[in-house]
Amino acid sequence: MREITLSQAVNEALAEEMRRDETVFIIGEDVAEAGTPFKVLSGLVEEFGTRRVVDTPIAEPGFMGIAVGAAMTGARPVVDLMFGDFIFLIMDQLCNQAAKTHYMSGGKLSVPLVLRTNMGATRRSAAQHSQSLHALVAHIPGLKVAMPSSAYEAKGLMKTAIRDNNPVVIFEDKLMYQDKAPVPEEEYLIPFGEANIKREGSDVTLIGTSSMVQVCEKAAEILAAEGISAEVIDPRTIVPLDEKTLLESARKTSRVIVVDEGHQSFGVTSEIASRINEKAFYHLDAPVFRMGAMDVPIPFSPALEDITVPTPEGVAEKARMLCGGEMINAA
C-alpha cells in the first residue's frame, strides 16, 4: 500500500468528494491560491475554480455564517478555519446556529457542514496559535467531533464528515501534516463512533487522541521492553464516542490512562475517565489516570512549551506506577 502524508490525505479526500458531489465547496482565508498556510489545499483551486474554492476576507464570523446558510439551503460547505484558536470568533454561528437548527426546526432543516481546523502545541506558535480546543465544541449537543491520528484516519474521517447531514468539526494536529502512513488508493470511509485498537495488550490501556495516539504507541514500545503489555486505543471521534470498545479494554486490562493534548481540567480526559469509572468500576485495579496539557497558556519558549504536553516517557512512567500497584497522587 502506498504511503502519503496527512496533508495529502486531506487534499485527496476533499478533491474526491468535490468531484463526486458538486454541492461541496471550500470556503475560508487563503484557501485558494495560497492553499492555506500549511499548503493542505494546494492545487484544488486549479481544478475546481474560485467558485468552489472561495477565498474570504479576514472575517471568520462572516464566512462561517455564509457556510451555515449555504448548508441549510442545499450545499455542503467545508469551512477552513486557519487556526483552531480562532474558533472563539465563530462560536455563535457554530454553536447557536449550526448545532441547533435541526432540533429547533423540528427536523425540517439540516446543516451538513464540515469545519476543518487544527490543534496542537510544540510548534513555537505561542499562546494564541497553539491551543487544542476540541473539548469546547464536544460539549455542544448537535455537533460531531473527529480527531484523526494519521493520514489514513484523516482521509476516511473527512469523507464521512462531508457526507454526514450534521455539522462536523475535524481537528487536525499541525505537527502531523507531513507524517506519512499507508492509505489505500481505492475509496474508503471510516464510520464515526468506531474506535481503532492500534495495539493489543493485557496490562494497561492507553487511550490517546490525535497526536497523543503516537505518544501512547511510543510509550507502549518503552513499556514492552520492560515486560509491560500496553493496549493502545484511538477513539477517532470523541462525539460520538465508542464507549463500548473503551470499556471492554478497561475490563480486560484493569488499568487505564487517558492522554489528550487539551487542557486537563474539564476536558476530554475527564469525560472518558468518568465514563470508565462509572461503567467499569468493579473491573479496575486502580483509578483511571488522566494526562492532559497543563492548565496554562501555551508558552512561546521552547523549553517551557515542551513540558506543557504529555510525552511518551511521561505516559510510560505513569503506566509503570499503575502496573506496580503504587498509590497515585493525581496532583
Side-chain angles (χ1 to χ4, degrees):
M1 191 184 300
R2 64 179 182 151
E3 288 196 348
I4 61 174
T5 66
L6 191 147
S7 176
Q8 291 171 318
V10 174
N11 189 296
E12 265 191 14
L14 290 167
E16 289 175 10
E17 291 304 300
M18 291 175 78
R19 294 179 195 124
R20 185 188 66 85
D21 184 349
E22 64 180 13
T23 68
V24 179
F25 72 94
I26 301 168
I27 185 169
E29 298 159 359
D30 287 340
V31 296
E33 282 76 11
T36 77
F38 301 98
K39 306 304 178 187
V40 178
L41 308 184
S42 294
L44 294 181
V45 71
E46 284 79 6
E47 178 175 354
F48 299 103
T50 55
R51 291 181 63 85
R52 295 185 66 194
V53 184
V54 184
D55 266 337
T56 68
I58 302 175
E60 288 84 358
F63 65 74
M64 186 66 188
I66 289 170
V68 172
M72 290 170 61
T73 53
R76 290 185 177 270
V78 177
V79 180
D80 185 288
L81 193 64
M82 188 180 291
F83 284 91
D85 312 68
F86 303 163
I87 206 165
F88 294 110
L89 299 169
I90 61 165
M91 289 298 275
D92 184 50
Q93 291 81 358
L94 179 64
C95 299
N96 276 334
Q97 308 304 326
K100 296 177 174 62
T101 292
H102 185 70
Y103 172 78
M104 295 183 70
S105 68
K108 294 180 181 179
L109 295 173
S110 296
V111 187
L113 173 151
V114 177
L115 172 65
R116 64 165 296 268
T117 190
N118 51 52
M119 56 176 281
T122 67
R123 189 176 173 270
R124 320 312 181 203
S125 297
Q128 295 174 341
H129 294 76
S130 302
Q131 298 171 92
S132 298
L133 301 174
H134 43 288
L136 223 64
V137 292
H139 185 69
I140 305 300
L143 299 177
K144 296 184 178 183
V145 184
M147 302 179 67
S149 63
S150 75
Y152 177 81
E153 274 78 22
K155 183 173 182 180
L157 291 171
M158 178 62 74
K159 291 173 73 70
T160 300
I162 291 173
R163 300 186 192 190
D164 199 299
N165 287 327
N166 301 280
V168 179
V169 186
I170 296 184
F171 287 89
E172 302 156 3
D173 191 284
K174 295 188 285 287
L175 288 181
M176 294 172 61
Y177 280 128
Q178 298 308 311
D179 287 1
K180 289 187 175 183
V183 176
E185 293 192 37
E186 61 272 15
E187 181 174 85
Y188 69 96
L189 285 80
I190 296 176
F192 286 174
E194 188 175 291
N196 183 25
I197 300 176
K198 302 282 287 186
R199 179 185 182 123
E200 293 195 358
S202 57
D203 295 325
V204 61
T205 298
L206 307 179
I207 302 170
T209 60
S210 186
S211 62
M212 294 297 104
V213 174
Q214 295 182 9
V215 167
C216 289
E217 288 181 307
K218 291 174 183 175
E221 291 174 4
I222 294 171
L223 293 167
E226 303 169 9
I228 298 173
S229 174
E231 182 149 290
V232 178
I233 301 180
D234 172 13
R236 288 175 167 166
T237 58
I238 55 174
V239 183
L241 182 68
D242 184 358
E243 194 175 89
K244 180 176 180 289
T245 297
L246 304 185
L247 291 174
E248 286 176 352
S249 181
R251 291 169 183 143
K252 178 175 72 170
T253 67
S254 301
R255 304 173 185 88
V256 181
I257 301 174
V258 188
V259 190
D260 179 75
E261 200 171 335
H263 295 303
Q264 179 153 311
S265 296
F266 308 98
V268 170
T269 58
S270 303
E271 179 63 28
I272 294 177
S274 176
R275 294 197 194 190
I276 294 172
N277 278 326
E278 287 175 4
K279 300 180 181 181
F281 178 78
Y282 292 104
H283 296 267
L284 298 175
D285 289 338
V288 178
F289 200 91
R290 300 181 296 123
M291 297 185 69
M294 288 183 183
D295 293 329
V296 298
I298 305 299
F300 173 75
S301 162
L304 294 177
E305 184 180 21
D306 287 344
I307 62 173
T308 63
V309 297
T311 64
E313 293 76 19
V315 174
E317 179 184 355
K318 299 304 180 189
R320 288 188 206 102
M321 294 172 68
L322 285 180
C323 293
E326 298 178 29
M327 293 298 293
I328 304 297
N329 181 354

